[in-house]
Amino acid sequence: MQALLVVFYLLVLQALFGKSEDLLELACTSDQQCVQFDRGRCLDNNCYCLARGSGERVPCSPLEQKLTNIIGGPCPCSQRHAECDSRRDQCICSQGYVPSEDRRRCLPEVVPLAGKCEFSRQCQLADRFSLCHPPENKCLCRANFEEHQGLCLAVLQSSCREDMDCGSCGASICLPKIKKCGCSESFVHNRNLTMCISGIAFGEKCEHSPPCQVKLGAGGQCLDHRCSCRATHYPRTMNHISRHTDEEEEPQTHEALICDAIIPYGAYCRNDADCRMQSSTKNDTPAPSAMTCQWGECQCSENHRLQDDQCIYVESGAGTNLLLEVLMLLSVIVTFRLF
């Protein structure tokens, strides 16, 4: 009978923590003590290895000591514009660069108009009305915008020969290449391309997206006649400091909402801060971070688990409490059988 109880006890432990071969019984107090294993990490005072992508615990294997060609892999680093993060012993892109889709190259994070690109975000960080056009792989202005002196300016339907011809429609310049009226940098066209209008703030009425994007950035959109953020973005408070010509006056700080990109699971990161989305208002109390930077990717933190490509908060100590309840039950059963 006692042998059966021992078998039952082992089966319960296996159900709680997975197969016995998935556990690596190597004591540790920090992740640094687990670097000899591929994607090793110190959890519950033991070294475990996590699967790339899912973050699930898998059997550990020794880390191959060879020159890596993947951003996020172990040092030393062979890629151009890459450097070694000595704290984590992994390759990351240098400041101002981001990895390519295959993570084998480091690309400029910001690309000006006419520059070589692979992602539209590279272009939009330089000009919100530009895109990365696949045929040329260049940053070019999107439809109804024209490049002029390094900027994408909104184009109207009105033809012109000189700047004076555009005054009646609120435009500031006659674009020399296409001989049409163009709006100044802080203005865009209305929906029917007949007038230049100013930007529209978050939550205000709109007719189409460009006026929202003047103030909210490339992630802004006009949804149900209100300026809002795209599904891939969230509203974040941004402080703008304006200085007056009068030197005796203090600089004025103005708050405005912008649409910042939502950081997805598995996104590239250099440190933990790259995996945290800032609060939308200054009074928000920071919540426990759902993700941390691990091997150059945003992964679920210790108190979160992956579900539908999102890191879901898990009550701390839930697994420990369950184990204690099982052990107490087994103790009662054993005591009862012995006496």
Side-chain angles (χ1 to χ4, degrees), residues 97-116:
Y97 290 85
V98 293
S100 58
E101 187 173 357
D102 59 7
R103 303 215 171 193
R104 297 181 183 274
R105 293 166 293 126
C106 290
L107 310 172
E109 185 176 14
V110 181
V111 178
L113 290 177
K116 284 288 185 180

Side-chain angles (χ1 to χ4, degrees), residues 135-201:
E136 303 91 347
N137 284 334
K138 287 185 178 181
C139 291
L140 301 174
C141 296
R142 70 190 206 196
N144 298 322
F145 286 85
E146 177 71 16
E147 187 276 332
H148 180 71
Q149 296 181 351
L151 296 173
C152 291
L153 300 183
V155 179
L156 302 182
Q157 289 182 342
S158 304
S159 299
C160 58
R161 293 184 178 179
E162 54 186 22
D163 294 348
M164 294 181 58
D165 299 335
C166 301
S168 61
C169 53
S172 60
I173 186 174
C174 180
L175 297 170
K177 294 181 182 178
I178 58 176
K179 295 299 180 181
K180 286 190 175 183
C181 295
C183 303
S184 62
E185 181 182 359
S186 56
F187 290 77
V188 290
H189 47 263
N190 58 2
R191 191 165 188 173
N192 54 11
L193 307 179
T194 57
M195 292 287 295
C196 291
I197 60 177
S198 60
I200 301 175

Side-chain angles (χ1 to χ4, degrees), residues 1-299:
M1 182 60 69
Q2 291 182 359
L4 291 176
L5 289 175
V6 172
V7 172
F8 175 71
Y9 173 75
L10 292 176
L11 289 175
V12 170
L13 290 180
Q14 183 176 352
L16 286 173
F17 297 105
K19 297 179 180 180
S20 58
E21 62 265 25
D22 291 342
L23 300 176
L24 176 66
E25 295 183 0
L26 180 61
C28 61
T29 57
S30 67
D31 290 345
Q32 189 63 28
Q33 295 173 317
C34 305
V35 295
Q36 69 269 32
F37 299 102
D38 187 18
R39 300 177 68 83
R41 188 179 177 194
C42 186
L43 299 172
D44 300 329
N45 295 323
N46 279 278
C47 284
Y48 294 95
C49 293
L50 306 181
R52 182 178 295 274
S54 66
E56 296 180 355
R57 298 181 185 183
V58 296
C60 285
S61 58
L63 186 65
E64 294 184 20
Q65 297 297 328
K66 62 181 182 180
L67 194 65
T68 182
N69 60 351
I70 298 292
I71 297 299
C75 303
C77 314
S78 61
Q79 300 93 332
R80 188 182 179 189
H81 304 302
E83 60 187 40
C84 178
D85 182 349
S86 57
R87 187 168 64 91
R88 294 186 173 91
D89 190 38
Q90 68 179 32
C91 294
I92 60 175
C93 289
S94 302
Q95 190 70 36
Y97 290 85
V98 293
S100 58
E101 187 173 357
D102 59 7
R103 303 215 171 193
R104 297 181 183 274
R105 293 166 293 126
C106 290
L107 310 172
E109 185 176 14
V110 181
V111 178
L113 290 177
K116 284 288 185 180
C117 59
E118 293 189 18
F119 313 111
S120 285
R121 180 170 172 79
Q122 293 176 278
C123 310
Q124 292 170 348
L125 288 176
D127 192 302
R128 65 197 60 193
F129 297 113
S130 63
L131 293 172
C132 185
H133 286 249
E136 303 91 347
N137 284 334
K138 287 185 178 181
C139 291
L140 301 174
C141 296
R142 70 190 206 196
N144 298 322
F145 286 85
E146 177 71 16
E147 187 276 332
H148 180 71
Q149 296 181 351
L151 296 173
C152 291
L153 300 183
V155 179
L156 302 182
Q157 289 182 342
S158 304
S159 299
C160 58
R161 293 184 178 179
E162 54 186 22
D163 294 348
M164 294 181 58
D165 299 335
C166 301
S168 61
C169 53
S172 60
I173 186 174
C174 180
L175 297 170
K177 294 181 182 178
I178 58 176
K179 295 299 180 181
K180 286 190 175 183
C181 295
C183 303
S184 62
E185 181 182 359
S186 56
F187 290 77
V188 290
H189 47 263
N190 58 2
R191 191 165 188 173
N192 54 11
L193 307 179
T194 57
M195 292 287 295
C196 291
I197 60 177
S198 60
I200 301 175
F202 185 89
E204 295 182 353
K205 292 183 178 180
C206 57
E207 291 186 355
H208 65 148
S209 293
C212 304
Q213 293 164 348
V214 170
K215 292 193 173 183
L216 301 182
Q221 67 172 351
C222 184
L223 181 65
D224 297 330
H225 301 289
R226 295 281 180 180
C227 282
S228 61
C229 297
R230 300 183 186 276
T232 55
H233 290 69
Y234 73 104
R236 179 170 70 86
T237 299
M238 190 78 172
N239 291 329
H240 297 277
I241 299 177
S242 60
R243 300 185 180 274
H244 298 274
T245 55
D246 188 348
E247 296 182 357
E248 296 181 356
E249 290 191 28
E250 292 292 331
Q252 299 296 314
T253 301
H254 303 279
E255 290 187 349
L257 286 176
I258 64 169
C259 292
D260 211 356
I262 294 174
I263 303 171
Y265 175 85
Y268 169 73
C269 57
R270 290 170 53 90
N271 49 56
D272 290 346
D274 293 340
C275 301
R276 296 171 185 163
M277 292 185 291
Q278 300 184 33
S279 301
S280 58
T281 62
K282 63 179 182 180
N283 295 323
D284 284 352
T285 302
S289 179
M291 295 186 295
T292 57
C293 187
Q294 304 169 27
W295 306 288
E297 295 179 355
C298 291
Q299 304 283 331

